[in-house]
Amino acid sequence: MTTAAPQTTARPQSAGATLSVRNLKVHFPVRRRMFSRTREFVNAVDGVSFDVGRGETLGLVGESGCGKTTLGRAIVKLIQPTSGEILLDGQNIAELQGVELRKKRRKFQMIFQDPYNSLDPRMTVSEIIGEALDIHGLAANGGRTQRIEELLNTVGLDPIYAQRYPHEFSGGQRQRIGIARALAVEPELIVCDEPVSALDVSVQAQIINLLQDLQSRAGGKVSYLFIAHDLAVVEHISQRIMVMYLGRIVEIGPAKSVVRTPKHPYTEALISAVPVVDPDAKRSRIMLPGEIPSPINPPSGCPFHTRCPIAQTQCQTEVPELRQISERHWAACHFAK
Ligand code: SF4
């Protein structure tokens, strides 16, 4: 039998948070057998709580299927959460619908993984960026063309391309258009969902640098939730890193601290898989047995116990709380020190 995740009173928090997520759950109903009346659920996100500080970049990592993209999509309300709170400026957007949600959308935007499918091929660049301005009435008093040109300049694209269509651009240029579209409404939070994983390595660095540059130019007004499976990229761009496994947070802390002194065996395994450039710096790879278990029927106790190299009997029955290990570092392992 699966034991429910414990509710802790203390949370990994940031002072003056832009975003506060509280006990968020996203459960998708599935029906396993034909004619079966029994409903089962994929527990894609299973009670996560964290903050993103003002002007902060919080990196979110984990294997495919850990729930990180579902969490990002739930935060920007592309998926309706099952329960929990998403507090943006203190307002719970999880319960907003219709006109109220549309008004609030200006505050949070998303940059998508696939720059090929995230732009409407029938619209010009000018129409794509202008649409965001029109929806939120940000160019009602004229200056629409000038604002579009400004945004293209900001993301390093020549405004003479404004009347071109997405197919006329490279992957990196399309991602820049996606970033310009997100910036058009001057959001406080941008969820970056694997924004560089579909790009060539040389272009990845340009986009990462652009995101960092835009954030520092915004003077601490824009926060990022940066989702990626590449820990090296996440360490480079993030102030803090959060690690997810099977829909739950297993570790969260300052980026350097998580990467150099991980507290959770799962994080250790992820870090051991990051290639090291220095040939003298030896790092032995921790191979995890098996695949990530099904989120329909997650293991009892610690959800990681079926793959954990240091699991004990206690791990099969007792769910480890996400607990504070040091001042800003939290981990969900009975034996984390
Ligand atoms: Fe491994 Fe047990 Fe810690 Fe879970 S609680 S990570 S199974 S040692």
Side-chain angles (χ1 to χ4, degrees):
M1 202 180 90
T2 308
T3 315
Q7 298 303 303
T8 51
T9 47
R11 297 288 182 203
Q13 294 176 341
S14 299
T18 293
L19 172 76
S20 298
V21 173
R22 295 290 173 263
N23 201 22
L24 194 73
K25 294 183 183 176
V26 183
H27 294 175
F28 298 112
V30 286
R31 196 173 269 177
R32 280 192 121 180
R33 290 183 299 276
M34 226 193 279
F35 310 120
S36 167
R37 287 173 183 266
T38 318
R39 288 196 104 185
E40 293 182 307
F41 292 88
V42 173
N43 302 334
V45 177
D46 205 14
V48 306
S49 300
F50 62 94
D51 288 350
V52 183
R54 209 160 288 283
E56 182 187 34
T57 298
L58 175 66
L60 172 55
V61 292
E63 287 167 290
S64 296
C66 72
K68 56 189 190 304
T69 290
T70 304
L71 174 59
R73 286 174 176 256
I75 287 170
V76 296
K77 291 292 298 266
L78 292 178
I79 295 172
Q80 178 61 34
T82 308
S83 63
E85 293 183 330
I86 304 164
L87 300 160
L88 200 67
D89 289 337
Q91 186 176 17
N92 184 12
I93 59 170
E95 56 192 25
L96 291 186
Q97 300 288 346
V99 179
E100 282 191 45
L101 177 60
R102 272 201 295 283
K103 275 194 218 155
K104 195 74 181 175
R105 272 203 187 283
R106 191 185 155 186
K107 302 271 183 184
F108 53 92
Q109 292 290 304
M110 188 158 192
I111 298 169
F112 296 89
Q113 175 179 3
D114 186 350
Y116 295 90
N117 288 327
S118 61
L119 304 175
D120 189 332
R122 296 160 303 180
M123 294 170 84
T124 64
V125 172
S126 171
E127 287 167 343
I128 288 168
I129 300 172
E131 184 183 47
L133 296 171
D134 296 339
I135 287 171
H136 296 281
L138 298 174
N141 301 321
R144 187 177 186 274
T145 306
Q146 191 188 343
R147 180 72 182 127
I148 292 167
E149 287 180 2
E150 265 173 32
L151 284 160
L152 288 175
N153 274 323
T154 303
V155 298
L157 285 176
D158 193 321
I160 61 168
Y161 298 140
Q163 297 312 319
R164 294 194 183 178
Y165 289 87
H167 73 267
E168 298 177 71
F169 295 90
S170 67
Q173 288 173 322
R174 289 184 205 201
Q175 201 55 297
R176 286 174 192 267
I177 297 165
I179 294 170
R181 176 177 58 185
L183 291 176
V185 294
E186 297 173 7
E188 292 176 11
L189 173 78
I190 302 180
V191 174
C192 309
D193 182 17
E194 306 249 14
V196 296
S197 59
L199 304 176
D200 292 341
V201 175
S202 57
V203 183
Q204 286 184 5
Q206 292 172 16
I207 297 297
I208 296 285
N209 291 342
L210 173 64
L211 287 169
Q212 285 183 307
D213 184 42
L214 293 173
Q215 194 179 41
S216 69
R217 275 196 263 162
K221 289 191 192 137
V222 184
S223 308
Y224 296 148
L225 177 64
F226 190 92
I227 303 169
H229 59 268
D230 186 337
L231 247 169
V233 170
V234 170
E235 184 194 5
H236 177 73
I237 195 170
S238 312
Q239 281 89 54
R240 287 188 304 147
I241 294 178
M242 180 161 82
V243 184
M244 270 185 90
Y245 185 78
L246 223 52
R248 297 178 191 178
I249 300 171
V250 296
E251 183 158 1
I252 181 167
K256 284 197 170 31
S257 169
V258 169
V259 172
R260 288 180 195 168
T261 55
K263 305 297 179 197
H264 196 282
Y266 178 60
T267 314
E268 267 187 76
L270 288 183
I271 290 165
S272 77
V274 176
V276 183
V277 179
D278 181 356
D280 296 329
K282 295 232 172 0
R283 183 192 273 165
S284 52
R285 173 97 192 255
I286 302 169
M287 300 298 292
L288 294 178
E291 297 287 317
I292 191 164
S294 165
I296 296 176
N297 188 18
S300 60
C302 174
F304 187 55
H305 86 256
T306 52
R307 303 171 77 196
C308 180
I310 59 165
Q312 308 286 317
T313 318
Q314 170 193 5
C315 306
Q316 295 172 18
T317 52
E318 290 178 30
V319 181
E321 271 191 35
L322 185 64
R323 63 189 172 86
Q324 198 165 11
I325 310 296
S326 61
E327 195 188 348
R328 297 178 63 217
H329 201 148
W330 301 63
C333 172
H334 295 307
F335 308 108
K337 293 183 186 139

